[in-house]
Structures are given as C-alpha cells and as structure tokens.
Amino acid sequence: MGASATPSLDPQLRSTISRLYPQQEQALRWALSRPERYLLVNAPTGSGKTPLGMAYASARPGNSTYLTQSIRLQEQAVGLFPGLALMKGRRHHQCWIQDSNAEEAPCAAGEWCPHIGKGEDAAEMCDYYDNISTAYAAQYRVTNYAAYLTHPPLRTSTDLLVCDEAHRIEQIVRDHASVYLPYSMAKKAGIPAPHSDDIRPYTGWARRHQWKLYKELVGVEWRPLREAIQTLISIPASNGDWYIEHNVKYAKLRPVWGKGLALPLMLEDTPTLFMSATLMWPEWVASTLGLPAGSWAYLDLPSVFPLERRPIYYSPVCSMNSSSVREDSSVARQSMQAAIDGIIGHYFTNGQYAGLVHTISHEYTSKVLTESRWCDIMTTDPKVHADQVLAGRPSVLVGPNLTEGWDGIDNLCRFIIMPKIPFPDLGDTIVKLRMQQDSRSYDYAALVAVVQAVGRGMRHEQDYCDAWILDSNWERLYQKRRGWLPKSFTDAYKHNIKLVSKQI
C-alpha cells in the first residue's frame, strides 16, 4: 500500500510520523478540516489509530493528552513516539516509605509525605510524583482514563484530547462517578450521611463536609469515606438519572447514563478526537455522552484488510438463551456443541489448528469445556493457548471475556466461533433500567460486543481469520439494527451461509 505526504508535523514527532498511509491521510485531513469541537472516528483494526491520533495532535497547537485504558496500549504508544510522556497510575510505582506500591501508600489516604514535593535535590521526589510532574509539563503525554479523571491539573493543561477505545467512555465515566458510602464510617466521623433515593442530598452533604478530607479523615482507615466524599463533590448539579440502593449499612449510588457527567467530569470544552473500532451509530454515542447538537462530526473508515481474509459468516444453528445454557439436557446446547465441534474439525482438517470460541458466561464456558469432543485441546488461558500454538500443537481458546483486549494475531487465531450473542445481563439493575428507558441501549451493547468479538483474529493486512455467528437470535438483531453497523463489518458480512463441518 502506498503512502503520501502528511501535513506539517511537530519536529518532536515528525521522525516517527514521516508519512501516513492513504486511509490515515484521509482521516487526518478530514479531522483538520472540521470546525466541530468533538470528532468521532470509527477506525477498524489496521487503521493505525495511534499514529493518526498523534499526527492530529502534532498538527495542532498546544498540549495534547492521549488516553487509552490498558497499560499495554499506553506503552505501545510510547514505543512508537518516544516524545510522549507516559503517566502511569499509582499501582505501577513503588512507595518509598513502606513495602507497597503507591496505591497503598500513606499519601493515597491523605497523609503527608516528604517525597510528594520536589526540593533542591530532584531525588527527593518519589517516582510516582516525579512521573506526574513530568507529565504535567510535557507537550505530549499518554495516560489512562482513570488518571485523567482524577488529576484536574492534567485536564486544565490539555488543549487537545485524543481518546482511544472511545466506545468505552460512557461506561468509564459512569464507573468513575459511582459511589459506595459506608454509613457506619460517616457516623463515626461525626457526619451522619443521608438516606435518600435522590442524589442531591448526598452531593450537598459531601460539599458541606469536604473540609474534613484535609483535617480529620486522614489515614488508611478513612479511605472508603474519603473516596465517597471526593467523588460526590465532583458530581455536577445537572447529572441525570441515578440508581440508589441504601440500607442500614451503606448506600450505593450509580448513574444510569453518562450524559450529564461526561462533559463536566472529563471532556468539558476541550477539543477531542474519539477513536475506536466500534464507535458506530454516532447519534447514539453523542447522545449518551451529552455532546451538544452541532458540536460533533463523524467519519466511518472502511477496513484496509482484504475482504477474502476476514469473512464474517452468519450460519444459524438454533436460538441460544439462558435456559439453553443452564439446563442439564438442553437440546439447543447439544445442537450448538455439535456445530462448534464440526467447525473446529473442518479447520483442523484444512491445517488451521488454532481458534477462539466466545462464550458469554463462565457457566457456558464450563459446559463447552465439558461437552466438546475437542475438550482435551481447549483452554481458558491465553498464555497456555499461545504456548501450545508456538509449540505447533492444536489449541482452541474458550472464554467469556475475550471480546476485547485479546490479540489473536497470525497463527493464534484462524477461526472465531460465536455460539451465543453477548446481550447484556438483565440481572444487572443498571442494564435493566437503561433498557426500560431506551431499549436501543440493549441492542447497541450487543452489537458492539459482536463487532469487537469477530475482530480478534484479524490484526494486520497479511493476517487472515474466519468468523462464525451461530446463534439464530442474531437474525432479529441484524435485521432491526444493521444500519448501526460500521463499514468494516458490513463489507465482510455474509448472511445465511451453509455451515462448514467435518467430523474427525
């Protein structure tokens, strides 16, 4: 694939981003031409999101912060761009005054420490605070979402925000704003907390007593109460719907939606580039983040990988629901297991000895591992799977939490099987409330999980992997919501395909 010249780049990053490939160039020129504050880019695997994000930051004035969730992706960004300052969380730094990491350090509980500030000798500042100081002063920095949310100076010094894995932002903000408030601890501190189904009494209570954070609620024993107060005082007055559970021991406060929280807690009016392989249906993304009308623009990039190397097949076997998984003698599960085993046999016969089976729960994982005729070569451990493949032995990775984060590059994954559509768990009260208020949230979450799941095995242009969706519940979801799917999925998708099978 050819490359083309890029717009003017900052000398700190130019050596790494000397040239961009056509799709990156297209996205960069689009982003630089848009007047909107918030830019949403659906960038599938292979789009080069990190170089694109840093090229955009380099071509704009001011300081930029690149956000992603995993330390692996943060270190990957620094590996590509040595000019980036990597700000790591507390657990990645050793405490200097006790045998623990900085997450368990006395300063994390509000206690004074001589290594927080820098004196005449730079070595007086511990690694954690030195890392923070370096990141604050840097023009380009990379960190995780949690660190960005908890360090206001980082937010105020950011002129451009680049968000990778941006499909997770609403969940990240909701998790950040969730509160566990121990009533007995509040009473012991002399500030009895309210019992209410409304968020406002809690935020008012926290603001009235926040002075105690610096004078009385110091030390590890007060940490849960400190964290509750610190979170509550950050919650804005206009903050949307909350689910509040309270009893004599505690209150749990969880926001139902991210709108009303994402802007004041994280985005504010900072120009932001959002990127993800599943940043689809932009109207929904903008709505759940509370982005004002007219403040955002959207670009859906197609995949650069050849279609024939990444087919997505829908071959309905049966409808899989919770009872299909739970029942000991489930006809549906038996039919599905026969289909799974037949697909594995087909690929093994053709010399493709490694694949992935997405199970939606630990219960279903256990059923597959027990009932499959290939159980002897199955594992739930990605490292064991990688070791088996490296040794030239057949291996099938099985698990419920592999729709994101796992990189099934090259021979690690030549086929993907999805026997059950990963709909959200309606046993979760927040999931249920969201669905009751807007049923589209349920389908949207399932589609994101499916698109993420089928992309685990296709990681570069020369790679190849087949994906199979077998649950007939996909039919309704696809027919109803296919307009939400990104180009990178729809161009490779094949509907109602005959199932491959080989019994060996």
Side-chain angles (χ1 to χ4, degrees):
M1 181 170 56
S4 57
T6 64
S8 177
L9 302 176
D10 189 296
Q12 290 188 67
L13 303 180
R14 187 183 297 146
S15 61
T16 304
I17 322 176
S18 57
R19 299 173 73 81
L20 294 178
Y21 288 104
Q23 190 168 26
Q24 294 169 319
E25 180 79 13
Q26 172 197 350
L28 177 59
R29 292 191 181 279
W30 173 85
L32 291 172
S33 72
R34 300 302 308 192
E36 293 85 0
R37 180 177 300 146
Y38 307 110
L39 304 180
L40 288 71
V41 177
N42 188 79
T45 302
S47 300
K49 290 189 288 293
T50 304
L52 171 59
M54 292 313 303
Y56 182 59
S58 175
R60 289 177 56 100
N63 298 339
S64 67
T65 302
Y66 190 104
L67 298 181
T68 188
Q69 263 197 302
S70 71
I71 188 65
R72 178 181 65 84
L73 291 176
Q74 292 160 41
E75 291 175 341
Q76 176 181 298
V78 173
L80 287 170
F81 303 101
L84 276 172
L86 172 56
M87 179 174 158
K88 296 183 179 181
R90 282 180 172 272
R91 65 187 180 91
H92 297 287
H93 297 275
Q94 181 67 29
C95 176
W96 282 12
I97 62 175
Q98 67 179 36
D99 186 17
S100 69
N101 61 39
E103 195 168 44
E104 304 299 325
C107 62
E111 295 184 24
W112 179 82
C113 174
H115 301 296
I116 290 177
K118 181 179 290 187
E120 294 180 3
D121 182 357
E124 290 180 3
M125 182 180 282
C126 80
D127 296 339
Y128 172 65
Y129 286 101
D130 184 55
N131 183 232
I132 291 176
S133 178
T134 300
Y136 285 175
Q139 182 176 3
Y140 304 105
R141 70 282 282 237
V142 58
T143 190
N144 60 59
Y145 285 96
Y148 189 76
L149 284 162
T150 54
H151 287 82
L154 193 60
R155 301 206 302 272
T156 56
S157 65
T158 295
D159 301 302
L160 172 70
L161 195 57
V162 179
C163 297
D164 200 354
E165 303 174 295
H167 65 285
R168 298 180 179 180
I169 289 178
E170 194 217 359
Q171 180 68 57
I172 290 168
V173 172
R174 289 193 288 120
D175 288 345
H176 174 76
S178 296
V179 174
Y180 173 80
L181 176 58
Y183 281 137
S184 59
M185 191 173 292
K187 185 177 180 180
K188 183 179 179 181
I191 49 172
H195 293 246
S196 176
D197 296 325
D198 187 334
I199 187 66
R200 288 170 294 184
Y202 295 97
T203 56
W205 166 84
R207 291 186 175 96
R208 288 194 303 274
H209 299 295
Q210 61 180 301
W211 61 272
K212 282 183 171 279
L213 294 173
Y214 312 103
K215 293 187 176 181
E216 298 180 15
L217 302 181
V218 174
V220 175
E221 69 274 17
W222 297 109
R223 189 166 184 173
L225 185 59
R226 285 180 58 85
E227 291 176 350
I229 293 175
Q230 287 170 332
T231 301
L232 284 167
I233 61 178
S234 72
I235 294 172
S238 177
N239 50 64
D241 298 324
W242 286 72
Y243 171 67
I244 298 175
E245 173 191 358
H246 57 89
N247 54 37
V248 296
K249 294 182 179 179
Y250 60 80
K252 291 182 180 179
L253 304 88
R254 292 192 289 165
V256 180
W257 301 97
K259 50 192 171 187
L261 294 170
L263 285 176
L265 293 184
M266 178 180 163
L267 303 175
E268 300 176 321
D269 60 354
T270 306
T272 305
L273 175 66
F274 302 88
M275 300 183 297
S276 170
T278 48
L279 201 65
M280 52 200 201
W281 192 25
E283 292 80 8
W284 177 260
V285 176
S287 171
T288 56
L289 294 180
L291 306 184
S295 69
W296 59 271
Y298 179 68
L299 178 66
D300 183 11
L301 292 172
S303 175
V304 298
F305 298 157
L307 290 173
E308 65 273 13
R309 290 179 171 270
R310 53 183 181 91
I312 303 166
Y313 301 115
Y314 169 54
S315 184
V317 174
C318 61
S319 173
M320 287 288 285
N321 52 36
S322 57
S323 62
S324 304
V325 174
R326 186 174 58 252
E327 293 172 1
D328 289 336
S329 300
S330 168
V331 175
R333 194 176 71 249
Q334 291 171 11
S335 297
M336 187 61 74
Q337 191 59 60
I340 293 170
D341 289 348
I343 293 174
I344 295 172
H346 166 81
Y347 284 95
F348 281 9
T349 300
N350 287 279
Q352 308 301 327
Y353 296 115
L356 168 64
V357 178
H358 287 293
T359 49
I360 48 79
S361 67
H362 293 292
E363 182 181 13
Y364 190 31
T365 302
S366 177
K367 298 288 187 183
V368 171
L369 293 175
T370 302
E371 298 169 355
S372 174
R373 63 188 300 266
W374 298 105
C375 59
D376 289 344
I377 55 98
M378 288 179 167
T379 179
T380 59
D381 188 332
K383 185 179 185 307
V384 171
H385 176 73
D387 290 344
Q388 289 288 95
V389 173
L390 185 63
R393 293 189 286 268
S395 180
V396 177
L397 183 61
V398 182
N401 300 315
L402 297 167
T403 57
E404 296 188 41
W406 183 68
D407 189 355
I409 192 169
D410 295 331
N411 288 332
L412 286 178
C413 190
R414 293 307 187 195
F415 59 88
I416 291 171
I417 304 172
M418 182 170 287
K420 190 175 186 313
I421 300 303
F423 286 103
D425 180 11
L426 287 174
D428 185 319
T429 304
I430 298 297
V431 170
K432 191 172 182 179
L433 286 172
R434 284 167 68 91
M435 184 181 179
Q436 289 172 351
Q437 295 178 22
D438 192 332
S439 61
R440 297 175 299 176
S441 65
Y442 189 69
D443 290 348
Y444 186 80
L447 282 182
V448 168
V450 169
V451 176
Q452 286 282 346
V454 300
R456 293 301 94 203
M458 185 66 193
R459 312 307 291 174
H460 59 82
E461 194 171 9
Q462 300 304 316
D463 207 352
Y464 60 93
C465 180
D466 298 351
W468 292 88
I469 300 172
L470 307 182
D471 185 355
S472 62
N473 289 310
W474 170 254
E475 182 75 32
R476 178 203 66 81
L477 183 62
Y478 174 72
Q479 296 298 347
K480 190 177 181 181
R481 308 299 192 191
R482 59 183 172 180
W484 299 353
L485 291 164
K487 295 174 185 175
S488 57
F489 184 97
T490 56
D491 64 1
Y493 177 75
K494 302 178 186 300
H495 196 67
N496 281 332
I497 300 301
K498 183 180 179 181
L499 187 69
V500 297
S501 181
K502 184 73 174 180
Q503 300 299 325
I504 60 175

